[in-house]
Amino acid sequence: MPDTLLTIRDLHVAYGPKPILRGAGFDVRRGECLTLLGANGSGKSTSMNAICGFVRPSAGSVSLEGTELAGRPAHAIFAQGVAQVSQARDLFPDLTVEDNLRLGAMRRGGRESGETLAHVYARFPRLAERRAQAARTLSGGEQQMVAIGRAMMSRPRLLLLDEPSGGLSPQFCEEIARIIDQLKADGVTLLMVEQNLNLAFRAADRFIVLRDGRVVDGGDVAAMAGDHDAIVRNIYL
Amino acid sequence: MLMQLTLSGASQGAIYALVALSLTVVYRSTTVVNFGHGDLVMSGAFVAYVLVVGLGLAFLPAAVIAVVAMFGLGVCFSRGLIRPIRGGPHIGFALMSIALGYTLRGIARTVWGREVLPMPRVFDIEPIFLGDVVLTGDALFTIATVAVLLGLFFAMLTFTDIGKMVQAVYQSERGARLVGINVSRFHDLSWGTGAALGAVGGILIAPVSFLHPDLGASFLIKGFAAMTLGGFGSLGGAVLGGVVLGLAEQYAGAYIDTALIDITAYLLIILVLLVRPRGLFGRKAVVKV
Ligand SMILES: Nc1ncnc2c1ncn2[C@@H]1O[C@H](COP(=O)(O)OP(=O)(O)OP(=O)(O)O)[C@@H](O)[C@H]1O
Ligand SMILES: [Mg+2]
């Protein structure tokens, strides 16, 4: 049986009376990249936000190696080593690239943060060149690099990536895929939401499909190679 | 004459700057306009007064205890009365802060009635004469204290990790949560800091004016006027606005009509909102009240 890092069971999330997740459940295995697929509005971002404490599940369990996270505040979950790169990126626009990155390590990452910063700059040389520039002056792709770099600064055990390719060019998608490979090599476990199926299948080990608030399908990416059509039908129809 | 007016304007303006800055600290981090802030300023002064006159403490320790006590009150207010209504309509915060202000004022009135109390002077040193300009110990003490405090405040904001976290929360609360900052606790500490800075203002003004339970109302308006001048929500603008207001009051009072001293703040609010709604220093507009 594979080693599981995150276990989600029977997760329910509602915004007011409107239920979004209705009993979703899945596992994320240690060291893998799992991709969460689903139509627009199917609750992918909501799932990410429920895991990292931005929304409070009304029922169900989110367990990180036996530690229950559901219902705990976001900063406490972050302290357990769960970081998110959100769909909106949520950078600090008027702070410099370097300050944005360093902030990622201030509450977690501690003494090695200088080393981690060097590591992030090595991964993203473009950010090193622009370290003194305000984040709002960067291009969309560069901003996404800052968002990913900022999350890396906390040395997370589980990294949540919400549509890392959103609105970016194909070259950038390839770059994201390489970063994901490197993160996996560093021992980081990833849960990714991605609409770009090329990226989703290039970078991920497994996928699951969210529909009507539940997980309806899933499998190994390798086994599905070349059969994207079947998956697409399952997601969007 | 001009020098003398400038000096008293600066010393008055230093207090306004502190009050406006403390209002802005709360406003920027929580988006709550604290209508009870004037009464926090008054309470700080009264706590110091009780410690000095009632318990016989020296001014400095009394001032420190009063500031710490007001910090605690600010934190408790945020934790106990603001946090529970956070999901509700925004007007609830304003009403809650008004209720806090009137409660504090009511308590002060119950104890002291409408008496006007003299606080012992702190720096009863001989005034220094520079030509025809008179430097009083109080004015020097006020200006120096505020200058040091503001220097420390802005240095911390700009150069320390804590300051970066504060700026981070100001710029994106979601981003701050993404980097593990406990935003609720940050709000509590901001209320505490606002109350403490406001209390410093009250304590500085106490020895040079008289204490009375309704003291807060005028400070609230002066604070709002300074904030409007500096661009509502800007920290540096609040400080500059406070100084400009202090000077404007003195100049207008001396060169136009003494009656203007009391209404300069209102006139400036009206004028600035009509002519330069972003404030004198023209930062980009800061959203919703
Ligand atoms: N804060 C909120 N308040 C109310 N409704 C919300 C909130 N956030 C999301 N929703 C609703 O929940 C549903 C799921 O949203 P979510 O963002 O999780 O979808 P998604 O699968 O990430 O979609 P997309 O692919 O467009 O990013 C949507 O119908 C959305 O309108
Ligand atoms: Mg989404």
Side-chain angles (χ1 to χ4, degrees), chain A residues 75 78 90 92 94 99 102, chain B residues 161 164 171 174-175 178 182:
Chain A
H75 64 93
F78 180 84
D90 299 302
F92 309 117
D94 294 333
D99 282 340
R102 288 196 326 105
Chain B
D161 280 2
K164 296 289 184 210
Q171 290 180 26
R174 267 182 64 91
L178 284 171
N182 183 346

Side-chain angles (χ1 to χ4, degrees), chain B residues 206-263:
Chain B
V208 285
S209 71
F210 288 104
L211 283 185
H212 56 99
D214 294 323
L215 175 83
S218 74
F219 277 104
L220 186 68
I221 287 296
K222 309 284 163 115
F224 284 163
M227 287 172 85
T228 312
L229 272 172
F232 215 86
S234 153
L235 295 168
V239 171
L240 290 175
V243 176
V244 170
L245 175 63
L247 294 172
E249 282 184 352
Q250 294 297 320
Y251 296 154
Y255 295 123
I256 307 176
D257 189 332
T258 32
L260 274 178
I261 292 189
D262 290 330
I263 57 169

Side-chain angles (χ1 to χ4, degrees), chain A residues 15 18 20 39-47 87 162-163 195:
Chain A
Y15 295 111
K18 187 177 165 198
I20 305 296
N40 290 119
S42 59
K44 304 181 297 295
S45 296
T46 301
S47 306
Q87 195 167 0
D162 197 345
E163 299 204 25
Q195 305 271 19

Side-chain angles (χ1 to χ4, degrees), chain B residues 72-103:
Chain B
L73 180 70
V75 170
C76 292
F77 175 67
S78 166
R79 183 75 189 82
L81 298 180
I82 293 292
R83 231 197 253 194
I85 62 168
R86 204 169 34 190
H90 204 261
I91 187 72
F93 301 127
L95 294 175
M96 193 64 100
S97 70
I98 291 172
L100 167 80
Y102 276 89
T103 304

Side-chain angles (χ1 to χ4, degrees), chain A residues 49 52-54 74-75 78 83-86 89-95 99-100 102-104 106-107 150, chain B residues 158-162 164-169 171-183 185 284:
Chain A
N49 289 334
C52 73
F54 276 29
H75 64 93
F78 180 84
Q84 183 184 189
V85 176
S86 60
R89 294 176 199 141
D90 299 302
L91 297 179
F92 309 117
D94 294 333
L95 293 180
D99 282 340
N100 268 276
R102 288 196 326 105
L103 272 156
M106 280 185 197
R107 303 269 82 192
R150 184 177 70 179
Chain B
T158 316
F159 300 115
T160 68
D161 280 2
I162 292 179
K164 296 289 184 210
M165 286 193 257
V166 172
Q167 294 188 52
V169 183
Q171 290 180 26
S172 166
E173 207 164 289
R174 267 182 64 91
R177 297 213 287 163
L178 284 171
V179 298
I181 293 173
N182 183 346
V183 173
R185 199 176 64 183
K284 67 175 181 241

